[in-house]
Amino acid sequence: MAPYSLLVTRLQKALGVRQYHVASVLCQRAKVAMSHFETNEYIRYDLLEKNINTVRKRLNRPLTLSEKIVYGHLDDPANQEIERGKTYLRLRPARVAMQDATAQMAMLQFISSGLPKVAVPSTIHYDHLIEAQVGGEKDLRRAKDINQEVYNFLATAGAKYGVGFWRPGSGIIHQIILENYAYPGVLLIGTDSHTPNGGGLGGICTGVGGADAVDVMAGIPWELKCPKVIGVKLTGSLSGWSSPKDVILKVAGILTVKGGTGAIVEYHGPGVDSISCTGMATICNMGAEIGATTSVFPYNHRMKKYLSKTGRADIASLAEEFKDHLVPDPGCQYDQLIEINLNELKPHINGPFTPDLAHPVAEVGTVAEKEGWPLDIRVGLIGSCTNSSYEDMGRSAAVAKQALAHGLKCKSQFTITPGSEQIRATIEWDGYAQILRDVGGVVLANACGFCIGQWDRKDIKKGEKNTIVTSYNRNFTGRNDANPETHAFVTSPEIVTALAIAGTLKFNPETDFLTGKDGKKFKLEAPDADELPRSDFDPGQDTYQHPPPKDSSGQRVDVSPTSQRLQLLEPFDKWDGKDLEDLQILIKVKGQCTTDHISAAGPWLKFRGHLDNISNNLLIGAINIENGKANSVHNAVTQEFGPVPDTARYYKKHGIRWVVIGDENYGEGSSREHAALEPRHLGGRAIITKSFARIHETNLKKQGLLPLTFADPSDYNKIHPVDKLTIQGLKDFAPGKPLKCIIKHPNGTQETILLNHTFNETQIEWFRAGSALNRMKELQQ
């Protein structure tokens, strides 16, 4: 990365030109590479154009931008059945990205496939397994030492199978993708739910489970239910304390955590041009919290500017030529339309415990007093994949600089997480990092850290009620620090900085005054900062490992049979051809059940490559409706209450198959497929809920489980934890055909209800084979 940037700079100076990518100078843009790192893989706007024209002629109507990009990557555009919200599309993504925590299981599955190389450009990003303790360099060294076995596995697996590897310290996956791999019109999948961050550069970038990634890396079309399209029309322009983060905080308050399920959110309108490229990425990133398949912005001059500044002016020039295909058609229709006037948008702060509980910053203090939420802010945290851009750091530094000018520092603890090595190096060079340190901040490693629970927190005891304010995307119970009494709020980095200086939720920087060291009152002015550095980005250290260009069949990938961190996978058992009789209910979940509840992160991240060990966290955060407790369920055989994983293991050992009953939007949050692998590993056969989050539903199908929904949501109330269930109709399992469920009560009475599903023919084959991976192997034979 660093040598490339130096070459660009030297060529530009030698030739007396600016803003031209080296490929343009050397190759006159005969072909444009997808990235600096895959110079033989080219952007195929010509194929995108051809496919779009084929589909537009068939549908005979204007297309949204989302449709253009999605349908432009169809495996068979001439014959694919297309109906929004109904049919399943077979798509050909251009690339795959995996973060280290999910890459372990994805690569273990790819190894099981027996294939020699990945079929599309793919990368692994080491960003999750770095715990934040004292500061960047020390935390990074400690993480490398503790996780050496996993580090070596990912590096050698990448080398053997042709996958690029971004080493520890590179930065957060989504910032790296934005800086290097995303481009207008790309279809990219990533094994992290915040992959939609790339929509800020006009791509359809979607979070998936590892099994989906394995399919694409194996050259198999990716299946996606044809998304609906929610339009968000932006008018006016952002100004003052209002930021791009406030757009998505407002949208989350409107749509809630499930309002975007099954849909792509497409932003458009004149207000778009007032938002920077990285600001658009922020909005798309947090679209994951409303359940959206992804979010996207139309190509514009802001994206062109960002591409040029990140050494990709040739891509920007090519995008200009094909611009008509990178914006929506005039007159296109949306399934739902939301309008937001940016002139009227006020700074927002959402939470606690859910990212859709929206409050204007001016009102949150009063609401907190009424609800009994702690007003004192213990920690303010900026960064994460959502808000760690150069502009974010600059706006926060602008606020901090004002406080320092009046002799003030943060009353709350304050931490800063740069998004990438490039961002870290540049804010060090430009002085932003030092300003943030001077105001009391600690600059952490370029990694996910606190946002995903990698926080070795010492300032409070577990169970102590407290408030933190972050610029992150999620604030589920216990997510950041494993303390269920931590009230976490999400907002923009500049508001976090202002609140950390004031130390209280009752502070509104738009109207309230602070008292300087000299005793004089002053008001913070709205921050202003450059969206991109005035000179070039400093690339920092070169942290990328290229896959070897030649034969790598001799490369060893070692997984010790005694390892506690890694475990080779064994195939799941095939369906026995019979209905599922007398399923025991492991747990009936009450209320919200995210993937954090199903498979916790934090200290459990170290077991992400070892299925049996990580299964010891199965559903330990879910609330049992029977007793209102977490990780306490009734064993139907022993008649004792015990931990959920222990009870599941007992049932598995004694040949008792079981089922989970869930509530609304079951499995929202992360893309982690461990939340599907664990119940399958411990003997689960079905998950029955009122509704599912998209990624989790697909993950369950991939692992041979049955994600089913109540035809009548009120039937949730008919099932009790002591009942047994029989699922009938599997011999005639077919798309669109409901299954029958017999509820057997302990008193001998029975009730029959209907269960819906969204399986298509291919997915039914996964179930019959025992998993999607099993089915892949069958087809290879």
Side-chain angles (χ1 to χ4, degrees):
M1 186 171 173
Y4 181 89
S5 298
L6 289 172
L7 175 61
V8 173
T9 303
R10 289 167 182 165
L11 273 172
Q12 288 175 344
K13 288 181 178 178
L15 298 175
V17 296
R18 294 176 58 85
Q19 305 298 327
Y20 286 97
H21 189 282
V22 67
S24 301
V25 179
L26 297 178
C27 306
Q28 282 74 51
R29 286 179 53 254
K31 292 181 180 178
V32 176
M34 289 171 59
S35 80
H36 302 159
F37 309 104
E38 295 113 1
T39 54
N40 293 321
E41 299 284 348
Y42 304 106
I43 295 175
R44 293 296 309 277
Y45 281 153
D46 57 331
L47 182 59
L48 183 77
E49 179 178 56
K50 179 182 176 182
N51 290 349
I52 289 171
N53 289 338
T54 298
V55 173
R56 185 188 283 113
K57 185 176 180 180
R58 287 181 56 205
L59 298 182
N60 193 31
R61 62 171 174 80
L63 300 177
T64 67
L65 171 60
S66 308
E67 290 180 304
K68 288 182 177 182
I69 301 174
V70 172
Y71 304 161
H73 287 84
L74 284 169
D75 183 50
D76 183 5
N79 298 298
Q80 170 72 60
E81 188 180 357
I82 299 171
E83 185 178 356
R84 295 201 308 217
K86 298 288 185 182
T87 57
Y88 277 86
L89 307 178
R90 290 168 61 82
L91 301 166
R92 292 287 185 179
R95 67 179 312 119
V96 173
M98 300 169 280
Q99 42 97 333
D100 52 348
T102 52
Q104 295 171 63
M105 200 59 69
M107 291 310 296
L108 286 166
Q109 290 178 84
F110 188 81
I111 290 170
S112 296
S113 76
L115 295 170
K117 289 277 186 181
V118 295
V120 300
S122 303
T123 49
I124 296 169
H125 303 256
Y126 199 102
D127 62 356
H128 276 55
L129 297 176
I130 303 170
E131 185 178 58
Q133 287 189 331
V134 294
E137 290 186 11
K138 290 182 179 179
D139 291 346
L140 193 57
R141 285 197 299 269
R142 178 174 176 270
K144 288 178 180 179
D145 182 56
I146 291 173
N147 301 303
Q148 188 65 42
E149 181 184 11
V150 173
Y151 175 94
N152 288 339
F153 168 73
L154 293 175
T156 55
K160 184 174 181 65
Y161 296 106
V163 179
F165 181 56
W166 288 86
R167 294 187 289 266
S170 302
I172 304 171
I173 177 173
H174 310 302
Q175 186 67 29
I176 296 294
I177 290 172
L178 198 71
E179 292 173 356
N180 297 280
Y181 298 118
Y183 59 83
V186 70
L187 178 63
L188 178 154
I189 64 168
T191 61
D192 190 280
S193 57
H194 294 109
T195 302
N197 192 79
L201 252 180
I204 294 295
C205 303
T206 304
V208 299
D212 272 339
V214 171
D215 278 356
V216 175
M217 290 191 294
I220 298 171
W222 173 50
E223 289 203 348
L224 175 72
K225 181 178 277 190
C226 188
K228 294 184 177 181
V229 187
I230 298 173
V232 179
K233 183 178 181 180
L234 302 178
T235 58
S237 61
L238 289 173
S239 62
W241 283 92
S242 295
S243 72
K245 186 66 165 282
D246 297 307
V247 175
I248 186 57
L249 294 175
K250 178 73 172 179
V251 171
I254 295 169
L255 288 176
T256 78
V257 291
K258 63 178 183 178
T261 302
I264 294 175
V265 179
E266 184 174 311
Y267 294 87
H268 62 283
V272 166
D273 286 341
S274 74
I275 304 173
S276 67
C277 178
T278 54
M280 290 186 253
T282 290
I283 294 167
C284 292
N285 177 295
M286 197 174 161
E289 308 332 313
I290 57 174
T293 300
T294 191
S295 303
V296 68
F297 277 82
Y299 177 71
N300 67 359
H301 71 283
R302 299 276 198 162
M303 296 181 192
K304 180 180 180 180
K305 185 177 181 180
Y306 183 82
L307 285 167
S308 297
K309 184 62 76 169
T310 52
R312 295 175 288 170
D314 55 346
I315 295 179
S317 296
L318 190 65
E320 286 288 323
E321 291 182 25
F322 288 85
K323 186 173 181 178
D324 287 348
H325 302 300
L326 304 174
V327 296
D329 286 340
C332 66
Q333 296 297 308
Y334 297 101
D335 295 286
Q336 181 181 350
L337 184 63
I338 297 168
E339 296 193 33
I340 296 176
N341 185 342
L342 299 180
N343 292 333
E344 300 172 355
L345 184 65
K346 290 292 186 180
H348 272 62
I349 182 168
N350 289 20
F353 307 123
T354 183
D356 59 356
L357 185 57
H359 320 274
V361 170
E363 300 172 11
V364 70
T366 302
V367 176
E369 281 185 315
K370 179 181 176 182
E371 297 294 336
W373 303 332
L375 289 173
D376 290 342
I377 298 168
R378 298 295 289 267
V379 191
L381 309 98
I382 66 170
S384 90
C385 64
T386 314
N387 279 115
S388 56
S389 68
Y390 182 82
E391 181 182 33
D392 290 328
M393 297 295 129
R395 285 174 68 87
S396 295
V399 175
K401 195 172 182 179
Q402 294 179 63
L404 289 168
H406 290 85
L408 296 186
K409 291 191 174 185
C410 292
K411 289 185 178 179
S412 309
Q413 294 180 54
F414 186 46
T415 68
I416 302 97
T417 306
S420 69
E421 170 62 7
Q422 180 168 276
I423 295 297
R424 183 208 62 77
T426 306
I427 66 171
E428 289 286 1
W429 175 263
D430 287 355
Y432 290 164
Q434 191 56 50
I435 292 170
L436 295 171
R437 288 190 188 98
D438 290 345
V439 85
V442 176
V443 179
L444 300 168
N446 316 321
C448 300
F450 300 155
C451 183
I452 60 162
Q454 286 283 54
W455 188 357
D456 185 21
R457 193 174 183 187
K458 304 290 189 184
D459 64 302
I460 61 161
K461 295 179 180 179
K462 190 169 182 177
E464 184 179 342
K465 200 172 180 180
N466 74 104
T467 286
I468 64 173
V469 179
T470 83
S471 69
Y472 302 164
N473 40 49
R474 283 194 185 126
N475 56 350
F476 301 139
T477 303
R479 174 174 173 86
N480 302 121
D481 61 0
N483 179 12
E485 290 300 324
T486 293
H487 293 57
F489 296 82
V490 292
T491 185
S492 67
E494 51 265 48
I495 292 293
V496 171
T497 307
L499 293 178
I501 292 166
T504 176
L505 283 177
K506 290 214 71 174
F507 180 70
N508 176 12
E510 288 191 299
T511 58
D512 295 345
F513 287 81
L514 294 168
T515 302
K517 190 175 182 179
D518 59 2
K520 296 181 180 179
K521 292 187 177 296
F522 71 98
K523 196 167 77 167
L524 293 170
E525 303 219 353
D528 184 33
D530 293 330
E531 65 182 275
L532 294 166
R534 295 181 184 182
S535 57
D536 291 333
F537 276 110
D538 183 338
Q541 300 179 44
D542 186 358
T543 54
Y544 180 68
Q545 173 187 295
H546 289 267
K550 297 181 180 180
D551 177 43
S552 58
S553 58
Q555 172 71 54
R556 289 178 58 88
V557 181
D558 292 328
V559 178
S560 169
T562 60
S563 173
Q564 295 301 301
R565 299 290 301 272
L566 298 165
Q567 180 186 47
L568 292 174
L569 297 174
E570 295 291 332
F572 290 132
D573 59 303
K574 294 184 178 182
W575 175 55
D576 62 9
K578 301 175 183 177
D579 288 335
L580 298 176
E581 300 278 351
D582 293 329
L583 297 173
Q584 192 68 54
I585 296 172
L586 177 65
I587 183 173
K588 182 179 179 183
V589 177
K590 178 183 178 182
Q592 185 185 50
C593 190
T594 70
T595 47
D596 282 292
H597 293 89
I598 304 167
S599 177
W604 292 96
L605 283 170
K606 62 179 173 284
F607 296 126
R608 284 284 181 87
H610 197 294
L611 180 54
D612 194 57
N613 281 345
I614 199 167
S615 293
N616 288 322
N617 76 1
L618 174 65
L619 287 159
I620 61 175
I623 301 301
N624 181 7
I625 200 169
E626 191 173 9
N627 55 14
K629 297 180 179 180
N631 202 25
S632 176
V633 294
H634 181 254
N635 185 314
V637 179
T638 67
Q639 299 301 313
E640 297 175 349
F641 278 83
V644 181
D646 293 359
T647 307
R649 287 188 185 277
Y650 181 94
Y651 289 160
K652 180 180 180 180
K653 181 179 178 181
H654 292 83
I656 300 170
R657 296 182 294 185
W658 50 264
V659 63
V660 170
I661 307 300
D663 211 317
E664 293 277 7
N665 208 31
Y666 184 91
E668 66 175 287
S670 165
S671 69
R672 69 193 67 156
E673 65 181 337
H674 300 79
L677 283 160
E678 292 175 35
R680 183 71 165 98
H681 176 63
L682 294 184
R685 297 306 299 153
I687 313 291
I688 305 172
T689 71
K690 294 180 182 177
S691 63
F692 285 98
R694 175 190 64 86
I695 300 176
H696 186 59
E697 182 181 24
T698 300
N699 287 345
L700 291 168
K701 292 176 182 178
K702 287 279 187 177
Q703 303 307 333
L705 281 154
L706 289 171
L708 306 171
T709 56
F710 297 104
D712 180 351
S714 66
D715 286 343
Y716 169 88
N717 299 315
K718 293 180 180 178
I719 297 176
H720 306 284
V722 293
D723 296 334
K724 289 187 176 182
L725 306 181
T726 292
I727 298 174
Q728 297 180 339
L730 293 174
K731 293 179 182 178
D732 301 315
F733 199 10
K737 185 177 180 181
L739 299 173
K740 189 181 293 186
C741 178
I742 310 299
I743 308 170
K744 300 178 181 179
H745 302 299
N747 62 8
T749 62
Q750 296 185 359
E751 295 182 76
T752 301
I753 62 173
L754 292 179
L755 301 175
N756 290 334
H757 65 85
T758 59
F759 281 79
N760 62 20
E761 290 287 0
T762 300
Q763 294 164 349
I764 290 172
E765 290 175 357
W766 299 344
F767 169 73
R768 290 172 176 155
S771 71
L773 187 58
N774 288 359
R775 181 57 180 160
M776 183 195 301
K777 291 179 180 178
E778 288 178 355
L779 293 173
Q780 288 173 358
Q781 295 169 2

